[in-house]
Amino acid sequence: MTPSRRSFLMGAAALSAAVATPEMVRAAAALDAAAGADWALATRDVEGDTPRQAMRLIHGRAPRGLEGALYRNGPAKFRRPGGSATHWFDGDGMMRAFRIRDGQATLEARFADTPKRRTETELDAVVTPGFGTRGDARARIGSNDDANAANTAVMAAGDKVWALWEAGSPLAMEASDLSTKGFVTLRDDLKGMPFQAHPRYAPDGTIWNVGTAGGQAVIWRLNPDRSLNDAQVVPLPRASYMHDFTATDRHLILVLQPWVFEGHAMPVVSALHWRPEMGTQILVLDKADLSQRRLYDLPAFFHFHLGDAWAERDGTIRFDVAASSDPRFAVDGARVLVDGRGVVPGDPARLALVTLHPDGRAEMVSSEVVGEFPKADPRRAGLKRRLTAHTWGETRGRPLPTGLAVHDWDKGRSNAFEFGVHQVVEEAVFVPKPGAVAEDQAWLVGPSVNLKDGRTELHVFDVARISDGPVATWQAEVALPAGFHGAWIG
């Protein structure tokens, strides 16, 4: 089916019609509330860009051969005097660059220069409807990208990095200085179509991504140089919320949870309803022919993030997921984080392994290990693997991770390092060691927010000895709020 903007429901008319009465939150009151919680620094506002600065090595030494940059994206401005974002997912996107060269590290950060941010800076109010923020009639929305916060993930694209969101175009930023260049249009008739935050990389360099709107998805296929190879629309069995998908070397895997759209409303979360009686469906598409599909059934679970999938010789497909019992974090927990106080409802996500058998059976086995932001060795994307890196230490009373771990699916255990409650730990990415081939011959590189010192830190771990702690830690002079996702460019 040939995609068109008109065929999607997330266009300008739907957004404009859904703008609702303002829910005004005073910035000063929000900041006062944030000061009362030990973890509130992780969602504090940043008022401007951070020029490049040297980070101070405070522990260990830089591993020989580790050269490159970790680009990370996440929201960094929530509160304005005339009205504020009320949900963690709706803050203005800020791109961070942690650069490591000759054993030294630097940090810089710049806001994504989006139409949303320009409008709200002019009005000094958050007015744009989002995932969980209502917005108001002052919003200026003519297309999806007028609401695009560019705040979720990063994709390398030559001398650019693309800031990715949920429901609109990638935003190109210069890798060298993080200046904004503009939205990426892969084909004129596809302008503004959803291009989600978790592209998957095939062994041959092809990049796959999806964008969803109700009961349909656009399947993007990009060449290694990031030019468009193909885009097709496929029908979905249900209109599920989908933040992530996964892939083997031959399949695309869409997990359709029973958090489904019923009608059209803004913010997005107000149109979603949890229907556990529907169970979870897993749609497997053949990359070579998207009309070839298989559908599997599992009991209900909620998720944001999936690990890389692989197919075994007999056709069995496996992948991991950070699974929860319901979407209470997405609805209410992310509001608690912006408030800077309170208890996040529900239980933290736990890692589970999903197995899809050739005879149509599906099963999911929980590891009982608390973990989010699963990441795997990029050398094995779509291929068989045994290791998953993940955040660690999240609890109901303390809603952000405090450590990192590597789970071994063959051995059935996670090796972890716990920083303690004075750190908010973010997603870490695999960086293969030069010339190495084994899965554990890699580093994990990721930041944290040191709540006690009030500063951002960058850590390097040895994947094979994660429980020994960082082999190197640098500390910045500033604290940036916790981000979502990143990419290493070596």
Side-chain angles (χ1 to χ4, degrees):
M1 178 178 177
T2 302
S4 69
R5 286 175 287 165
R6 181 173 296 180
S7 71
F8 268 70
L9 300 177
M10 300 180 73
L15 275 173
S16 300
V19 173
T21 305
E23 180 178 290
M24 308 302 282
V25 180
R26 291 180 300 161
L31 290 172
D32 288 343
D38 65 339
W39 43 262
L41 186 60
T43 57
R44 85 197 245 299
D45 283 328
V46 176
E47 298 305 325
D49 298 338
T50 299
R52 187 176 301 187
Q53 60 175 253
M55 301 182 75
R56 181 168 59 95
L57 184 68
I58 63 172
H59 170 76
R61 64 196 311 181
R64 182 174 298 179
L66 180 62
E67 302 270 340
L70 174 65
Y71 293 88
R72 284 189 50 77
N73 196 359
K77 177 67 175 176
F78 304 93
R79 307 166 188 91
R80 296 182 184 271
S84 298
T86 57
H87 196 283
W88 193 24
F89 301 171
D90 295 330
D92 289 342
M94 171 173 267
M95 188 70 71
R96 297 90 155 152
F98 298 87
R99 306 182 196 273
I100 301 175
R101 185 176 179 82
D102 297 329
Q104 306 296 315
T106 62
L107 169 64
E108 65 197 281
R110 293 184 75 166
F111 278 104
D113 183 18
T114 62
K116 171 188 183 298
R117 178 167 170 80
R118 291 196 295 271
T119 294
E120 294 176 345
T121 298
E122 175 191 333
L123 297 174
D124 208 7
V126 175
V127 299
T128 308
F131 186 84
T133 299
R134 189 175 299 277
D136 69 39
R138 292 173 290 173
R140 301 167 186 170
I141 298 176
S143 71
N144 288 359
D145 285 333
D146 290 330
N148 192 334
N151 68 359
T152 309
V154 184
M155 181 173 161
D159 60 357
K160 307 289 191 298
V161 291
W162 291 358
L164 306 182
W165 187 54
E166 288 287 308
S169 306
L171 182 74
M173 304 176 75
E174 287 285 356
S176 60
D177 65 4
L178 307 185
S179 57
T180 296
K181 295 303 162 185
F183 289 117
V184 176
T185 299
L186 293 166
R187 199 171 72 203
D188 288 345
D189 62 318
L190 303 177
K191 184 176 181 178
M193 293 270 281
F195 187 92
Q196 289 188 328
H198 290 282
R200 296 286 172 176
Y201 300 84
D204 65 359
T206 298
I207 301 160
W208 296 84
N209 202 2
V210 302
T212 61
Q216 55 189 342
V218 57
I219 307 297
W220 298 94
R221 182 179 180 180
L222 275 59
N223 299 311
D225 66 357
R226 280 48 177 173
S227 62
L228 181 65
N229 180 294
D230 191 23
Q232 296 184 46
V233 168
V234 299
L236 301 175
R238 64 172 65 154
S240 293
Y241 172 71
M242 187 187 306
H243 173 74
D244 197 0
F245 76 107
T246 189
T248 73
D249 56 341
R250 303 189 305 276
H251 313 93
L252 303 177
I253 300 164
L254 282 59
V255 179
L256 306 173
Q257 57 194 339
W259 201 30
V260 293
F261 287 93
E262 296 180 0
H264 306 291
M266 292 298 287
V268 171
V269 72
S270 66
L272 287 162
H273 297 269
W274 181 243
R275 306 297 187 200
E277 67 278 6
M278 296 173 65
T280 293
Q281 293 181 314
I282 300 176
L283 178 63
V284 177
L285 302 174
D286 189 322
K287 286 181 175 179
D289 181 356
L290 297 179
S291 68
Q292 297 298 311
R293 54 173 54 200
R294 288 178 287 164
L295 195 62
Y296 296 81
D297 292 298
L298 281 171
F301 65 88
F302 172 79
H303 75 286
F304 282 116
H305 300 119
L306 306 169
D308 289 334
W310 69 91
E312 298 177 349
R313 289 184 178 180
D314 66 354
T316 300
I317 293 173
R318 302 187 197 276
F319 62 91
D320 47 347
V321 56
S324 304
S325 59
D326 57 52
R328 280 183 286 176
F329 175 84
V331 177
D332 297 316
R335 299 186 189 279
V336 171
L337 294 186
V338 175
D339 287 343
R341 60 181 179 179
V343 176
V344 172
D347 294 317
R350 285 173 165 76
L351 297 182
L353 187 67
V354 174
T355 301
L356 308 178
H357 296 282
D359 62 5
R361 292 179 298 115
E363 59 190 23
M364 185 170 83
V365 178
S366 176
S367 69
E368 300 303 328
V369 172
V370 170
E372 251 291 4
F373 299 105
K375 300 294 287 187
D377 181 355
R379 295 167 296 185
R380 289 166 170 76
L383 306 176
K384 183 173 174 57
R385 62 180 174 84
R386 63 183 178 87
L387 300 181
T388 297
H390 60 93
T391 55
W392 170 277
E394 188 175 348
T395 66
R396 291 185 68 181
R398 208 284 191 178
L400 292 164
T402 57
L404 283 175
V406 174
H407 191 78
D408 188 320
W409 290 104
D410 288 350
K411 297 179 179 178
R413 67 169 184 261
S414 283
N415 293 318
F417 180 79
E418 173 67 42
F419 283 96
V421 295
H422 66 284
Q423 293 270 11
V424 170
V425 177
E426 303 180 49
E427 172 198 79
V429 299
F430 269 78
V431 180
K433 296 180 179 180
V437 295
E439 194 171 353
D440 62 358
Q441 291 178 319
W443 297 294
L444 283 183
V445 182
S448 70
V449 184
N450 186 319
L451 302 173
K452 183 170 61 176
D453 293 351
R455 294 180 177 180
T456 288
E457 295 180 348
L458 180 68
H459 309 282
V460 180
F461 288 80
D462 191 317
V463 169
R465 294 185 293 276
I466 193 79
S467 58
D468 291 347
V471 298
T473 294
W474 293 269
Q475 189 178 79
E477 293 297 320
V478 298
L480 299 178
F484 291 146
H485 300 293
W488 175 264
I489 302 176

